[in-house]
């Protein structure tokens, strides 16, 4: 398929369309070069230490800040949307920030790589009387490629009573207050495929319509209209009752552990970053009554990075005790970013994108407490990286239960914007880590896409014990999409598609097993649990391919699954079983899921 960019026109509605159809400059201080004083006779040159990097500073040209008195807000919003509406693999990155206050008559249409956020401590501090809209006019009413955009920390009073947020993967809706209904489908109720809501209050009804799968966490809703295949709720006041598979609702009363994403806000005229505290057995929003619980850091504690800064400078800032705020843009890395200090925050704005060059790993976290990674995209480079993101070193074993590392709205892409390769995308070695909403995607369309062109064997590998994943989207890997070797792992919501482009049955043969499971629990694991997991196949190159199962796990009492499904999209490939050797095969061309309510 052609690259989707502002100049390339509409992409042809390929594989994702079928999926839907099946369902119905002050801080840019680099490391100075080593300088030498003129040596006196008989003395060695004196090397100067790199000067300390400054904290704080301006947020750069692609962070656009509005207040209620800003002239022609709508015009600026429309200008950015025209640029980003169809720029699926473009280079533009934007963060829209609204200062506390009330805004009237706005329709903020949100395109690719655009984040819109309020700057209050509570969503209700910043109210838009209008709409924050995602639709799919750019793609003929098909929302299955509405990726990489977000809304956060705002109250919205929709003009007609219903706000439209028609998205698929990597498009979080966090810490929002919709004073009305929320429609998750595009105009005309065309195709849409997946999404995520957290820490939000929807006063009216959430209306998924064509959404095939969705995860909602720690929120409050006035009602939920329908479900297609896989609607999962944890800690949601007003959630529908458990009903899987008919209706397809998986409902947990609480979320075992959660800690909301860090966010930028204004205290007077000072920018700060709020760090919400950890909750156990969480339910409902964090901001419903008074100031949210947590701590905050002034922007002066952050190195405010701009595109073009080197990895050496980012590491110098971290070594000097600064946190990182990645402003919108693309960052090429010739070495890994190393997060070695407990409590470090790496926060991206406007889908700041890290590209590792020459096969390096983009970011590595030490075995320390309380690191928070949030709000950025890692895009694989053309030289194969063994890994792209490492949470803890191999063999990490420290107890982080009191202050875990969190990975939130951190997305990984291999191919699509150009050739990219990585053997394993994300490795989680640290104990008690929380992976809260990620989309790890080997591209199935765009530029640099092919079975070997964007080769990526493994999506997510979890070696650490006591890891929790809430909202895990992993798709299209050449072999296993998820492998889980740590003990006491838990996943609430998993969405997967197997690689579309396998050339033939032999290409996916896994020893004596037909195909690699989407989600595999290691043979030696004694305790694991998952709720609301789905895997889909659409083998469009060779529709005769057979996948034995979507899920593989040791058959023992401590390894438990609830509400599993597999589905063949239009009969392009088939599953023989759901998990291990259990479950009915998929049903020909009818695109009816095969389900398991409880395993074993």
């Amino acid at each position: 398929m052609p690259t989707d960019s502002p100049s390339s026109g509409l992409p042809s509605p390929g594989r994702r369309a079928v999926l839907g159809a099946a369902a119905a400059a002050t801080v840019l201080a680099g490391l100075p070069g080593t300088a030498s004083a003129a040596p006196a006779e008989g003395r060695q040159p004196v090397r100067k230490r790199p000067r300390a990097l400054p904290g704080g500073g301006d947020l750069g040209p692609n962070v656009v800040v509005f207040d209620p008195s800003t002239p022609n807000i709508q015009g600026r919003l429309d200008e950015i949307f025209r640029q980003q509406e169809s720029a699926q693999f473009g280079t533009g990155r934007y963060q829209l920030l609204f200062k506390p206050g009330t805004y009237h008559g706005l329709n903020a249409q949100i395109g690719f790589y655009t984040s819109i956020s309020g700057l209050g401590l509570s969503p209700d501090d910043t109210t838009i009387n209008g709409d924050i809209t995602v639709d799919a006019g750019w793609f003929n009413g098909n929302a299955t490629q509405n990726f990489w955009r977000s809304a956060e920390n705002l109250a919205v009073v929709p003009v007609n009573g219903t706000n439209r947020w028609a998205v698929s993967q990597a498009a979080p809706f966090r810490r929002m207050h919709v004073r009305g209904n929320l429609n998750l489908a595009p105009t005309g109720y065309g195709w849409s495929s997946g999404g995520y809501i957290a820490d939000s209050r929807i006063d009216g009804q959430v209306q998924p319509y064509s959404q095939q799968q969705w995860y909602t966490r720690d929120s409050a809703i006035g009602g939920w209209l329908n479900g297609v295949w896989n609607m999962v709720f944890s800690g949601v006041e007003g959630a529908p009752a458990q009903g899987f598979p008919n209706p397809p609702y998986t409902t947990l009363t609480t979320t075992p552990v959660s800690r909301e994403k860090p966010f930028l806000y204004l205290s007077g005229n000072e920018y700060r970053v709020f760090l919400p505290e950890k909750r156990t057995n969480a339910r409902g929003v964090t901001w419903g009554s008074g100031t949210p619980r947590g701590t905050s850091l002034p922007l002066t504690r952050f190195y405010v990075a701009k595109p073009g800064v080197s990895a050496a400078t980012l590491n110098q800032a971290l070594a000097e005790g600064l946190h990182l705020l990645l402003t919108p843009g693309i960052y090429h890395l010739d070495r890994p970013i190393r997060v070695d200090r407990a409590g470090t925050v790496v926060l991206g704005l406007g889908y700041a994108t890290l590209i590792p060059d020459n096969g390096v790993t983009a970011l590595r976290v030490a075995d320390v407490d309380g690191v928070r990674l949030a709000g950025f995209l890692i895009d694989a480079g053309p030289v194969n990286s063994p890994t792209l993101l490492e949470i803890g070193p191999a063999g990490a074993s420290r107890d982080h239960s009191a202050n875990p590392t969190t990975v939130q709205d951190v997305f990984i892409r291999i191919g699509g914007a150009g050739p990219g390769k990585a053997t394993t995308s994300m490795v989680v070695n640290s104990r008690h880590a929380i992976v809260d909403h990620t989309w790890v995607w080997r591209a199935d369309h765009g530029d640099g896409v092919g079975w070997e062109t964007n080769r990526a064997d493994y999506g997510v590998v979890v070696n650490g014990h006591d890891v929790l994943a809430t909202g895990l989207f992993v798709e299209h890997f050449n072999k296993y999409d998820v492998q889980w070797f740590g003990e006491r792992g838990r996943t609430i919501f998993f969405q997967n598609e197997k690689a579309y482009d396998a050339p033939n049955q032999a290409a996916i043969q896994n020893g004596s097993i037909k195909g690699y499971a989407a989600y595999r629990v290691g043979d030696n694991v004694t305790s694991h649990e998952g709720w609301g997991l789905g895997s889909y196949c659409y083998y469009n190159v060779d529709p005769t391919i057979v996948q034995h199962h979507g899920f593989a796990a040791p058959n023992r009492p401590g390894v438990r699954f609830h509400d599993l499904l597999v589905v063949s999209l239009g009969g392009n490939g088939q599953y023989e079983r759901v998990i291990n050797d259990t479950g009915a095969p998929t049903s020909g061309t009818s695109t009816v899921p095969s389900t398991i309510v409880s395993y074993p």
Side-chain angles (χ1 to χ4, degrees):
M1 296 179 68
T3 300
D4 301 320
S5 66
S7 61
S8 65
L10 294 179
S12 58
R15 295 162 283 215
R16 282 201 170 265
V18 174
L19 169 61
T26 54
V27 295
L28 249 181
L31 260 175
T34 301
S36 300
E41 187 175 350
R43 294 184 182 178
Q44 293 297 318
V46 177
R47 293 185 179 273
K48 292 183 179 179
R49 296 186 177 216
R51 64 183 175 83
L53 294 168
D58 73 275
L59 299 177
N62 285 10
V63 176
V64 184
V65 183
F66 302 101
D67 65 48
S69 66
T70 301
N72 196 20
I73 297 174
Q74 188 65 56
R76 186 71 172 112
L77 294 173
D78 291 346
E79 177 188 12
I80 293 170
F81 179 66
R82 281 193 297 270
Q83 177 182 324
Q84 298 301 115
E85 179 183 11
S86 59
Q88 181 172 181
F89 297 113
T91 58
R93 304 286 188 274
Y94 287 93
Q95 175 73 57
L96 311 176
L97 296 177
F98 284 76
K99 292 182 179 181
T102 302
Y103 300 77
H104 298 282
L106 297 181
N107 181 18
Q109 299 183 83
I110 307 301
F112 284 99
Y113 312 110
T114 305
S115 298
I116 183 170
S117 307
L119 285 170
L121 263 181
S122 165
D124 289 326
D125 293 340
T126 311
T127 299
I128 292 179
N129 288 299
D131 294 276
I132 298 174
T133 302
V134 177
D135 209 338
W138 75 279
F139 200 35
N140 298 321
N142 170 11
T144 60
Q145 291 183 24
N146 279 352
F147 313 139
W148 304 306
R149 63 200 76 198
S150 66
E152 185 174 354
N153 202 30
L154 290 159
V156 186
V157 185
V159 169
N160 66 357
T162 300
N163 191 82
R164 186 180 303 279
W165 187 256
V167 299
S168 289
Q169 288 80 3
F173 199 78
R174 283 186 183 270
R175 200 179 176 78
M176 295 289 289
H177 185 186
V178 179
R179 299 178 192 166
N181 303 318
L182 183 63
N183 184 338
L184 304 178
T187 300
Y189 304 95
W191 311 321
S192 48
S193 179
Y196 172 92
I197 294 171
D199 200 22
S200 293
R201 183 180 298 278
I202 317 300
D203 291 346
Q205 185 183 61
V206 181
Q207 303 164 343
Y209 294 110
S210 57
Q211 285 287 353
Q212 292 147 328
Q213 62 273 320
W214 198 276
Y215 176 49
T216 307
R217 178 182 63 72
D218 298 350
S219 294
I221 62 177
W224 192 274
L225 178 64
N226 72 298
V228 178
W229 290 335
N230 190 27
M231 305 280 125
V232 180
F233 310 83
S234 67
V236 179
E237 297 170 354
Q242 171 72 30
F244 188 89
N246 186 25
Y249 298 146
T250 298
T251 303
L252 288 72
T253 303
T254 61
T255 304
V257 187
S258 63
R259 188 174 69 193
E260 299 304 329
K261 177 187 170 187
F263 62 92
L264 193 67
Y265 75 103
L266 275 174
S267 177
N269 292 319
E270 178 193 26
Y271 283 110
R272 299 182 69 89
V273 173
F274 193 82
L275 308 176
E277 71 173 18
K278 187 189 74 169
R279 298 198 290 170
T280 56
N281 298 317
R283 182 172 173 84
V285 301
T286 63
W287 47 268
S289 55
T291 303
R293 298 175 67 90
T295 59
S296 72
L297 296 169
L299 194 63
T300 53
R301 296 280 304 280
F302 285 78
Y303 177 70
V304 182
K306 308 285 178 59
V309 70
S310 69
T313 300
L314 296 174
N315 283 329
Q316 180 189 345
L318 292 168
E320 291 176 1
L322 293 171
H323 306 273
L324 296 183
L325 185 72
L326 305 174
T327 66
I330 295 174
Y331 299 74
H332 280 269
L333 308 174
D334 65 352
R335 66 195 70 179
I337 299 171
R338 296 187 176 274
V339 180
D340 295 329
R341 189 180 72 255
T344 299
V345 179
V346 180
L347 176 62
L349 301 179
Y351 285 83
T353 301
L354 308 178
I355 301 180
D357 294 329
N358 300 316
V360 304
T361 297
L363 192 151
R364 288 191 170 117
V365 178
D367 192 14
V368 294
D369 271 356
V371 170
R372 305 183 195 228
L373 308 180
F376 56 89
L377 171 65
I378 299 174
D379 209 350
V383 177
N384 184 75
S385 294
T387 58
L388 293 172
L389 175 62
E390 295 179 9
I391 309 302
S397 60
R398 294 180 181 175
D399 186 321
H400 302 297
S401 56
N403 191 9
T405 285
T406 47
V407 182
Q408 300 177 285
D409 301 347
V410 173
F411 307 117
I412 296 177
R413 178 173 68 193
I414 301 94
K421 292 185 178 183
T423 304
T424 302
S425 291
M426 181 191 300
V427 179
V428 182
N429 292 316
S430 288
R431 292 185 62 192
H432 302 102
I434 301 172
V435 180
D436 175 43
H437 190 227
T438 188
W439 185 37
V440 181
W441 184 59
R442 174 182 169 266
D444 62 272
H445 62 274
D447 186 26
V449 171
W451 184 247
E452 296 296 342
T453 306
N454 62 329
R455 182 84 194 187
D457 283 352
Y458 309 110
V460 176
V461 175
V462 180
N463 297 313
H465 299 324
D466 308 289
V467 171
L468 171 65
T470 52
L472 184 60
F473 298 72
V474 188
E475 297 188 299
H476 305 309
F477 285 84
N478 295 77
K479 292 185 178 179
Y480 290 112
D481 299 277
V482 172
Q483 294 189 91
W484 206 298
F485 300 111
E487 289 287 355
R488 298 174 297 280
R490 292 173 290 185
T491 295
I492 305 172
F493 183 88
F494 171 69
Q495 186 264 324
N496 166 264
E497 297 171 14
K498 295 302 299 174
Y500 295 158
D501 56 345
N504 49 49
Q505 186 76 45
I508 66 160
Q509 192 67 21
N510 181 14
S512 62
I513 301 172
K514 299 172 185 175
Y516 292 82
Y519 187 110
R520 175 199 174 202
V521 178
D523 294 342
N524 296 323
V525 172
T526 61
S527 178
H528 187 92
E529 195 158 12
W531 297 262
L533 285 67
S535 177
Y536 323 137
C537 74
Y538 179 66
Y539 289 113
N540 67 332
V541 175
D542 181 359
T544 68
I545 289 175
V546 175
Q547 176 86 21
H548 180 62
H549 48 218
F551 303 91
N555 186 7
R556 53 177 60 104
V559 179
R560 298 171 291 174
F561 289 91
H562 315 274
D563 301 357
L564 300 174
L565 72 90
V566 296
V567 62
S568 166
L569 305 178
N572 290 274
Q574 300 289 341
Y575 291 91
E576 292 179 324
R577 296 288 183 263
V578 179
I579 180 169
N580 295 341
D581 297 319
T582 301
T586 49
S587 51
T589 61
S590 64
T591 314
V592 173
S594 181
T595 61
I596 293 285
V597 174
S598 181
Y599 183 88

PDB file of all heavy atoms in Angstrom, residues 103-126:
ATOM      1  N   TYR A 103     -14.011  27.925  27.187  1.00  0.00           N
ATOM      2  CA  TYR A 103     -13.895  28.220  25.759  1.00  0.00           C
ATOM      3  C   TYR A 103     -15.237  27.924  25.101  1.00  0.00           C
ATOM      4  O   TYR A 103     -15.904  26.942  25.443  1.00  0.00           O
ATOM      5  CB  TYR A 103     -12.797  27.363  25.130  1.00  0.00           C
ATOM      6  CG  TYR A 103     -11.427  27.572  25.742  1.00  0.00           C
ATOM      7  CD1 TYR A 103     -11.090  27.009  26.976  1.00  0.00           C
ATOM      8  CD2 TYR A 103     -10.467  28.338  25.095  1.00  0.00           C
ATOM      9  CE1 TYR A 103      -9.845  27.201  27.542  1.00  0.00           C
ATOM     10  CE2 TYR A 103      -9.196  28.534  25.650  1.00  0.00           C
ATOM     11  CZ  TYR A 103      -8.905  27.963  26.874  1.00  0.00           C
ATOM     12  OH  TYR A 103      -7.659  28.161  27.439  1.00  0.00           O
ATOM     13  N   HIS A 104     -15.587  28.733  24.125  1.00  0.00           N
ATOM     14  CA  HIS A 104     -16.914  28.613  23.514  1.00  0.00           C
ATOM     15  C   HIS A 104     -16.806  28.424  22.010  1.00  0.00           C
ATOM     16  O   HIS A 104     -15.941  29.008  21.345  1.00  0.00           O
ATOM     17  CB  HIS A 104     -17.747  29.865  23.807  1.00  0.00           C
ATOM     18  CG  HIS A 104     -18.010  30.091  25.252  1.00  0.00           C
ATOM     19  ND1 HIS A 104     -18.962  29.388  25.966  1.00  0.00           N
ATOM     20  CD2 HIS A 104     -17.416  30.933  26.152  1.00  0.00           C
ATOM     21  CE1 HIS A 104     -18.962  29.790  27.225  1.00  0.00           C
ATOM     22  NE2 HIS A 104     -18.025  30.721  27.370  1.00  0.00           N
ATOM     23  N   GLY A 105     -17.715  27.589  21.494  1.00  0.00           N
ATOM     24  CA  GLY A 105     -17.899  27.487  20.057  1.00  0.00           C
ATOM     25  C   GLY A 105     -16.758  26.850  19.302  1.00  0.00           C
ATOM     26  O   GLY A 105     -16.536  27.180  18.128  1.00  0.00           O
ATOM     27  N   LEU A 106     -16.019  25.941  19.910  1.00  0.00           N
ATOM     28  CA  LEU A 106     -14.883  25.310  19.247  1.00  0.00           C
ATOM     29  C   LEU A 106     -15.232  23.904  18.770  1.00  0.00           C
ATOM     30  O   LEU A 106     -15.991  23.179  19.418  1.00  0.00           O
ATOM     31  CB  LEU A 106     -13.685  25.220  20.186  1.00  0.00           C
ATOM     32  CG  LEU A 106     -13.075  26.527  20.694  1.00  0.00           C
ATOM     33  CD1 LEU A 106     -11.884  26.223  21.589  1.00  0.00           C
ATOM     34  CD2 LEU A 106     -12.669  27.427  19.537  1.00  0.00           C
ATOM     35  N   ASN A 107     -14.650  23.524  17.636  1.00  0.00           N
ATOM     36  CA  ASN A 107     -14.631  22.129  17.228  1.00  0.00           C
ATOM     37  C   ASN A 107     -13.184  21.778  16.938  1.00  0.00           C
ATOM     38  O   ASN A 107     -12.654  22.099  15.868  1.00  0.00           O
ATOM     39  CB  ASN A 107     -15.497  21.880  15.992  1.00  0.00           C
ATOM     40  CG  ASN A 107     -15.482  20.407  15.582  1.00  0.00           C
ATOM     41  OD1 ASN A 107     -15.117  19.535  16.367  1.00  0.00           O
ATOM     42  ND2 ASN A 107     -15.871  20.130  14.345  1.00  0.00           N
ATOM     43  N   ALA A 108     -12.526  21.162  17.918  1.00  0.00           N
ATOM     44  CA  ALA A 108     -11.124  20.770  17.788  1.00  0.00           C
ATOM     45  C   ALA A 108     -11.075  19.405  17.120  1.00  0.00           C
ATOM     46  O   ALA A 108     -11.284  18.374  17.772  1.00  0.00           O
ATOM     47  CB  ALA A 108     -10.449  20.739  19.148  1.00  0.00           C
ATOM     48  N   GLN A 109     -10.831  19.400  15.816  1.00  0.00           N
ATOM     49  CA  GLN A 109     -10.669  18.143  15.095  1.00  0.00           C
ATOM     50  C   GLN A 109      -9.220  17.681  15.260  1.00  0.00           C
ATOM     51  O   GLN A 109      -8.287  18.447  15.022  1.00  0.00           O
ATOM     52  CB  GLN A 109     -11.015  18.329  13.624  1.00  0.00           C
ATOM     53  CG  GLN A 109     -12.454  18.761  13.392  1.00  0.00           C
ATOM     54  CD  GLN A 109     -12.780  18.862  11.919  1.00  0.00           C
ATOM     55  OE1 GLN A 109     -13.099  17.868  11.262  1.00  0.00           O
ATOM     56  NE2 GLN A 109     -12.672  20.068  11.385  1.00  0.00           N
ATOM     57  N   ILE A 110      -9.057  16.428  15.644  1.00  0.00           N
ATOM     58  CA  ILE A 110      -7.743  15.923  16.038  1.00  0.00           C
ATOM     59  C   ILE A 110      -7.247  14.929  14.999  1.00  0.00           C
ATOM     60  O   ILE A 110      -7.845  13.878  14.795  1.00  0.00           O
ATOM     61  CB  ILE A 110      -7.803  15.268  17.439  1.00  0.00           C
ATOM     62  CG1 ILE A 110      -8.421  16.227  18.458  1.00  0.00           C
ATOM     63  CG2 ILE A 110      -6.416  14.823  17.870  1.00  0.00           C
ATOM     64  CD1 ILE A 110      -7.683  17.540  18.622  1.00  0.00           C
ATOM     65  N   GLY A 111      -6.132  15.285  14.335  1.00  0.00           N
ATOM     66  CA  GLY A 111      -5.541  14.415  13.329  1.00  0.00           C
ATOM     67  C   GLY A 111      -4.375  13.616  13.876  1.00  0.00           C
ATOM     68  O   GLY A 111      -4.159  13.512  15.094  1.00  0.00           O
ATOM     69  N   PHE A 112      -3.588  13.057  12.974  1.00  0.00           N
ATOM     70  CA  PHE A 112      -2.468  12.209  13.367  1.00  0.00           C
ATOM     71  C   PHE A 112      -1.434  12.991  14.174  1.00  0.00           C
ATOM     72  O   PHE A 112      -1.183  14.174  13.933  1.00  0.00           O
ATOM     73  CB  PHE A 112      -1.790  11.616  12.124  1.00  0.00           C
ATOM     74  CG  PHE A 112      -2.565  10.494  11.498  1.00  0.00           C
ATOM     75  CD1 PHE A 112      -3.360  10.719  10.387  1.00  0.00           C
ATOM     76  CD2 PHE A 112      -2.514   9.221  12.027  1.00  0.00           C
ATOM     77  CE1 PHE A 112      -4.080   9.682   9.815  1.00  0.00           C
ATOM     78  CE2 PHE A 112      -3.236   8.174  11.474  1.00  0.00           C
ATOM     79  CZ  PHE A 112      -4.020   8.407  10.356  1.00  0.00           C
ATOM     80  N   TYR A 113      -0.838  12.319  15.137  1.00  0.00           N
ATOM     81  CA  TYR A 113       0.255  12.849  15.967  1.00  0.00           C
ATOM     82  C   TYR A 113      -0.124  14.191  16.588  1.00  0.00           C
ATOM     83  O   TYR A 113       0.708  15.100  16.680  1.00  0.00           O
ATOM     84  CB  TYR A 113       1.547  12.993  15.154  1.00  0.00           C
ATOM     85  CG  TYR A 113       1.882  11.774  14.337  1.00  0.00           C
ATOM     86  CD1 TYR A 113       1.782  11.800  12.951  1.00  0.00           C
ATOM     87  CD2 TYR A 113       2.277  10.586  14.938  1.00  0.00           C
ATOM     88  CE1 TYR A 113       2.081  10.686  12.188  1.00  0.00           C
ATOM     89  CE2 TYR A 113       2.577   9.468  14.188  1.00  0.00           C
ATOM     90  CZ  TYR A 113       2.468   9.517  12.807  1.00  0.00           C
ATOM     91  OH  TYR A 113       2.758   8.405  12.059  1.00  0.00           O
ATOM     92  N   THR A 114      -1.361  14.297  17.009  1.00  0.00           N
ATOM     93  CA  THR A 114      -1.846  15.514  17.648  1.00  0.00           C
ATOM     94  C   THR A 114      -2.448  15.139  18.989  1.00  0.00           C
ATOM     95  O   THR A 114      -3.290  14.242  19.069  1.00  0.00           O
ATOM     96  CB  THR A 114      -2.900  16.219  16.784  1.00  0.00           C
ATOM     97  OG1 THR A 114      -2.355  16.471  15.479  1.00  0.00           O
ATOM     98  CG2 THR A 114      -3.323  17.536  17.407  1.00  0.00           C
ATOM     99  N   SER A 115      -2.002  15.826  20.050  1.00  0.00           N
ATOM    100  CA  SER A 115      -2.546  15.622  21.385  1.00  0.00           C
ATOM    101  C   SER A 115      -3.166  16.931  21.858  1.00  0.00           C
ATOM    102  O   SER A 115      -2.571  17.992  21.711  1.00  0.00           O
ATOM    103  CB  SER A 115      -1.452  15.191  22.361  1.00  0.00           C
ATOM    104  OG  SER A 115      -0.877  13.954  21.969  1.00  0.00           O
ATOM    105  N   ILE A 116      -4.354  16.846  22.432  1.00  0.00           N
ATOM    106  CA  ILE A 116      -5.022  18.014  22.986  1.00  0.00           C
ATOM    107  C   ILE A 116      -5.193  17.788  24.486  1.00  0.00           C
ATOM    108  O   ILE A 116      -5.622  16.717  24.910  1.00  0.00           O
ATOM    109  CB  ILE A 116      -6.371  18.282  22.288  1.00  0.00           C
ATOM    110  CG1 ILE A 116      -7.019  19.560  22.837  1.00  0.00           C
ATOM    111  CG2 ILE A 116      -7.309  17.089  22.375  1.00  0.00           C
ATOM    112  CD1 ILE A 116      -8.225  20.012  22.037  1.00  0.00           C
ATOM    113  N   SER A 117      -4.808  18.784  25.297  1.00  0.00           N
ATOM    114  CA  SER A 117      -4.811  18.620  26.749  1.00  0.00           C
ATOM    115  C   SER A 117      -5.177  19.929  27.426  1.00  0.00           C
ATOM    116  O   SER A 117      -4.865  21.014  26.918  1.00  0.00           O
ATOM    117  CB  SER A 117      -3.431  18.189  27.261  1.00  0.00           C
ATOM    118  OG  SER A 117      -2.938  17.055  26.589  1.00  0.00           O
ATOM    119  N   GLY A 118      -5.810  19.802  28.598  1.00  0.00           N
ATOM    120  CA  GLY A 118      -6.027  20.943  29.467  1.00  0.00           C
ATOM    121  C   GLY A 118      -4.868  21.104  30.431  1.00  0.00           C
ATOM    122  O   GLY A 118      -4.141  20.145  30.716  1.00  0.00           O
ATOM    123  N   LEU A 119      -4.722  22.317  30.959  1.00  0.00           N
ATOM    124  CA  LEU A 119      -3.609  22.627  31.852  1.00  0.00           C
ATOM    125  C   LEU A 119      -4.058  22.870  33.285  1.00  0.00           C
ATOM    126  O   LEU A 119      -3.347  23.515  34.057  1.00  0.00           O
ATOM    127  CB  LEU A 119      -2.846  23.850  31.330  1.00  0.00           C
ATOM    128  CG  LEU A 119      -1.946  23.589  30.114  1.00  0.00           C
ATOM    129  CD1 LEU A 119      -1.440  24.900  29.524  1.00  0.00           C
ATOM    130  CD2 LEU A 119      -0.771  22.685  30.482  1.00  0.00           C
ATOM    131  N   GLY A 120      -5.215  22.330  33.663  1.00  0.00           N
ATOM    132  CA  GLY A 120      -5.646  22.405  35.048  1.00  0.00           C
ATOM    133  C   GLY A 120      -5.250  21.166  35.816  1.00  0.00           C
ATOM    134  O   GLY A 120      -4.783  20.176  35.253  1.00  0.00           O
ATOM    135  N   LEU A 121      -5.457  21.218  37.142  1.00  0.00           N
ATOM    136  CA  LEU A 121      -5.259  20.011  37.945  1.00  0.00           C
ATOM    137  C   LEU A 121      -6.426  19.052  37.792  1.00  0.00           C
ATOM    138  O   LEU A 121      -6.290  17.855  38.019  1.00  0.00           O
ATOM    139  CB  LEU A 121      -5.087  20.380  39.415  1.00  0.00           C
ATOM    140  CG  LEU A 121      -3.657  20.479  39.938  1.00  0.00           C
ATOM    141  CD1 LEU A 121      -3.655  20.832  41.421  1.00  0.00           C
ATOM    142  CD2 LEU A 121      -2.871  19.186  39.708  1.00  0.00           C
ATOM    143  N   SER A 122      -7.588  19.571  37.428  1.00  0.00           N
ATOM    144  CA  SER A 122      -8.779  18.765  37.199  1.00  0.00           C
ATOM    145  C   SER A 122      -9.269  19.016  35.782  1.00  0.00           C
ATOM    146  O   SER A 122      -9.122  20.138  35.257  1.00  0.00           O
ATOM    147  CB  SER A 122      -9.879  19.148  38.188  1.00  0.00           C
ATOM    148  OG  SER A 122     -11.145  18.633  37.773  1.00  0.00           O
ATOM    149  N   PRO A 123      -9.863  18.027  35.130  1.00  0.00           N
ATOM    150  CA  PRO A 123     -10.463  18.279  33.820  1.00  0.00           C
ATOM    151  C   PRO A 123     -11.457  19.433  33.844  1.00  0.00           C
ATOM    152  O   PRO A 123     -11.552  20.201  32.880  1.00  0.00           O
ATOM    153  CB  PRO A 123     -11.147  16.957  33.490  1.00  0.00           C
ATOM    154  CG  PRO A 123     -10.434  15.938  34.284  1.00  0.00           C
ATOM    155  CD  PRO A 123      -9.993  16.612  35.542  1.00  0.00           C
ATOM    156  N   ASP A 124     -12.190  19.572  34.941  1.00  0.00           N
ATOM    157  CA  ASP A 124     -13.215  20.611  35.014  1.00  0.00           C
ATOM    158  C   ASP A 124     -12.637  22.019  35.127  1.00  0.00           C
ATOM    159  O   ASP A 124     -13.380  23.002  35.035  1.00  0.00           O
ATOM    160  CB  ASP A 124     -14.151  20.336  36.189  1.00  0.00           C
ATOM    161  CG  ASP A 124     -15.046  19.132  35.946  1.00  0.00           C
ATOM    162  OD1 ASP A 124     -15.428  18.914  34.781  1.00  0.00           O
ATOM    163  OD2 ASP A 124     -15.355  18.401  36.908  1.00  0.00           O
ATOM    164  N   ASP A 125     -11.324  22.139  35.295  1.00  0.00           N
ATOM    165  CA  ASP A 125     -10.705  23.465  35.286  1.00  0.00           C
ATOM    166  C   ASP A 125     -10.678  24.077  33.889  1.00  0.00           C
ATOM    167  O   ASP A 125     -10.528  25.296  33.748  1.00  0.00           O
ATOM    168  CB  ASP A 125      -9.265  23.390  35.816  1.00  0.00           C
ATOM    169  CG  ASP A 125      -9.195  23.031  37.294  1.00  0.00           C
ATOM    170  OD1 ASP A 125     -10.214  23.207  37.984  1.00  0.00           O
ATOM    171  OD2 ASP A 125      -8.122  22.574  37.731  1.00  0.00           O
ATOM    172  N   THR A 126     -10.786  23.231  32.872  1.00  0.00           N
ATOM    173  CA  THR A 126     -10.684  23.687  31.482  1.00  0.00           C
ATOM    174  C   THR A 126     -11.868  23.119  30.713  1.00  0.00           C
ATOM    175  O   THR A 126     -11.905  21.916  30.433  1.00  0.00           O
ATOM    176  CB  THR A 126      -9.366  23.217  30.845  1.00  0.00           C
ATOM    177  OG1 THR A 126      -8.270  23.518  31.718  1.00  0.00           O
ATOM    178  CG2 THR A 126      -9.139  23.882  29.495  1.00  0.00           C
TER     179      THR A 126
END
